[in-house]
Amino acid sequence: MGKIAVIPGDGIGVDVTHEAVKVLQAVNEKHGLGLVLEHLDYGAERYLTDGTTLPKGEIERFEKEFDAIYLGALGDPRIPDMRHGREILLAMRFEMDLFINLRPVKCLADRLCPLKNFGADDIDFTVFRENTEGLYVGLGGNFKKGTPDEVAINEDVNTRKGVERIIRAAFEFAVKHGKSTVTMSDKSNAVRFAHDLWVRTFDEVGDEYPKIEKQHLYVDALAMQMIKNPKQFEVIVTNNMFGDIITDIGAMLQGGLGLAGSGNLHPGKTSLFEPVHGSAPKYAGKNIANPFAAILTAEMMLDHLGHTAAARDIGNAVKLALEEGQTTADVGGSLGTREVGDWIIEHI
Ligand code: NAD
Ligand code: IPM
Ligand code: MN
């Protein structure tokens, strides 16, 4: 398994993907994985040049010809409405039905932990973010746009099928990884119809897993508990929008956005891997961005594709780099993006 479409995208997406690709090539050679990478130029520059976001038929080609897609980041100040982001990133998530946005929150070194009285071992949980519904579906519209009477609506779409399958995925993950608790988070005290569906579905699906404890937290309380006592969490499942927000908080618990990787999955289908961070335009092209989120995302991708020994090599090299301070400035080191990538491949 190893045909991968690589889309560096925009901003620091290009910088960090360059390093992740170096690392993929290094483990490919060392372990004889037979990975084949196809580089694609989708992103802001291509869109501004010829109007292409994703060409027609490209998603079908991804599903037919590739095992995974690796994306750097999208987002460019010249495209303030982020149209290309929706037509590339959200289109892949939705049209490929990648309903699991898997976002591990694992702190790799004590000195990266930003909380008093907690260390790396205390921060180790996995967020299951619903990835195909919710406020992201783009249902809605404007009425009397641009007038004082304007009405603007985005519908929060939650289906029984969609809610059930992400909750079930969270419980299955808990069983497979020997976890004892799944925490579901919503805002069902205020958002009665849609989020009550989450409450009922969580109860019903959870009853099928009697050995796993069910915990429920409203999302405001979850945000507070993530800072107060992150040690209590093992698996968190939540909707699309809340999952987006809490995984930026989660990234800070790991030591920053420069360290958080993610996968967009549908078991048995072509999957999509990307760092949690965006294109950070102010750092683009400056050899400043931390490539670890991208490199750890490559690790996740290889693990998912069954190349576990190669994945472990990457994880170990990153851990060692963090221990020895061979990092970019955001996590205390003095190396550039490329130098960190070089250090990692030397240690693979
Ligand atoms: P961002 O994640 O790009 O950056 C926020 C801040 O986090 C940066 O200014 C920087 O201080 C820090 N940061 C992020 N990644 C880093 C790294 N690798 N190394 C060091 N520091 C890092 O979020 P933003 O500024 O809100 O968004 C910028 C653009 O990216 C927007 O267009 C947004 O829509 C887009 N975005 C895209 C994705 C994606 O493609 N998956 C994700 C988030 C945001
Ligand atoms: C993420 C990003 C995206 C999201 C944006 C770019 C649409 O923030 O992957 O976390 O909200 O899902
Ligand atoms: Mn986000």
Side-chain angles (χ1 to χ4, degrees):
M1 290 265 285
K3 184 139 190 244
I4 299 160
V6 178
I7 307 173
D10 306 332
I12 64 163
V14 176
D15 308 351
V16 299
T17 300
H18 186 263
E19 303 317 305
V21 166
K22 262 161 57 178
V23 170
L24 285 170
Q25 280 161 349
V27 289
N28 192 25
E29 236 164 76
K30 177 175 167 189
H31 292 270
L33 305 179
L35 299 181
V36 177
L37 309 187
E38 180 174 325
H39 291 261
L40 297 164
D41 66 353
Y42 306 134
E45 209 54 58
R46 173 77 184 268
Y47 173 57
L48 292 169
T49 304
D50 69 5
T52 303
T53 51
L54 262 191
K56 204 168 176 306
E58 192 64 342
I59 287 190
E60 290 73 21
R61 188 174 81 94
F62 287 157
E63 291 194 299
K64 220 181 308 144
E65 292 180 18
F66 292 87
D67 298 303
I69 300 156
Y70 184 94
L71 173 71
L74 294 168
D76 187 298
R78 293 170 297 173
I79 311 173
D81 69 359
M82 192 66 169
R83 171 163 166 202
H84 71 306
R86 284 191 306 283
E87 292 186 7
I88 300 171
L89 173 59
L90 296 186
M92 288 193 284
R93 289 180 185 167
F94 281 66
E95 288 172 37
M96 292 162 71
D97 201 27
L98 303 174
F99 66 97
I100 301 169
N101 193 187
L102 185 77
R103 296 190 156 184
V105 177
K106 189 169 167 53
C107 186
L108 296 177
D110 285 333
R111 68 176 178 79
L112 296 176
C113 175
L115 303 179
K116 261 192 295 188
N117 310 325
F118 289 100
D121 291 345
D122 300 320
I123 294 166
D124 183 5
F125 59 89
T126 304
V127 176
F128 278 71
R129 171 190 180 192
E130 203 295 317
N131 213 27
T132 53
E133 303 194 336
L135 274 166
Y136 278 67
V137 297
L139 270 182
N142 295 92
F143 180 51
K144 300 187 180 176
K145 189 171 178 179
T147 75
D149 297 324
E150 176 162 353
V151 179
I153 295 174
N154 274 95
E155 301 282 4
D156 182 7
V157 175
N158 295 259
T159 68
R160 170 73 198 208
K161 176 181 149 196
V163 173
E164 184 168 330
R165 66 183 180 174
I166 189 68
I167 289 175
R168 193 174 297 284
F171 277 103
E172 286 295 328
F173 177 92
V175 170
K176 187 165 166 211
H177 293 87
K179 307 291 182 193
S180 53
T181 310
V182 173
T183 304
M184 191 279 281
S185 188
D186 59 33
K187 192 66 191 169
S188 54
N189 49 355
V191 183
R192 281 305 302 153
F193 308 123
H195 293 190
D196 183 56
L197 173 62
W198 280 79
V199 172
R200 284 180 282 118
T201 309
F202 184 60
D203 273 345
E204 286 167 31
V205 174
D207 284 347
E208 294 173 30
Y209 300 87
K211 293 202 180 108
I212 311 276
E213 193 192 329
K214 288 179 278 188
Q215 186 189 21
H216 174 261
L217 284 172
Y218 299 125
V219 71
D220 45 356
L222 172 68
M224 181 273 283
Q225 288 291 346
M226 283 175 74
I227 305 301
K228 187 179 177 201
N229 179 19
K231 201 180 165 143
Q232 70 188 288
F233 298 116
E234 293 180 303
V235 181
I236 296 175
V237 60
T238 191
N239 65 42
N240 208 337
M241 175 63 91
F242 296 165
D244 180 41
I245 297 166
I246 66 158
T247 52
D248 264 36
I249 303 177
M252 288 317 294
L253 295 176
Q254 289 168 268
L257 274 166
L259 289 159
S262 85
N264 301 261
L265 316 172
H266 183 137
K269 294 181 87 157
T270 303
S271 43
L272 162 68
F273 292 84
E274 45 164 350
V276 171
H277 67 71
S279 60
K282 68 179 179 196
Y283 294 155
K286 295 194 173 140
N287 200 35
I288 289 175
N290 187 343
F292 283 158
I295 291 170
L296 293 168
T297 296
E299 178 198 357
M300 280 181 78
M301 177 173 75
L302 292 184
D303 203 35
H304 182 78
L305 296 177
H307 303 305
T308 45
R312 214 168 27 242
D313 269 3
I314 297 175
N316 288 340
V318 170
K319 220 165 167 226
L320 191 63
L322 286 166
E323 274 160 24
E324 298 195 1
Q326 304 290 333
T327 71
T328 47
D330 56 305
V331 282
S334 58
L335 299 183
T337 311
R338 288 189 292 276
E339 290 67 39
V340 171
D342 291 342
W343 196 95
I344 295 295
I345 59 175
E346 269 165 39
H347 288 79
I348 280 174

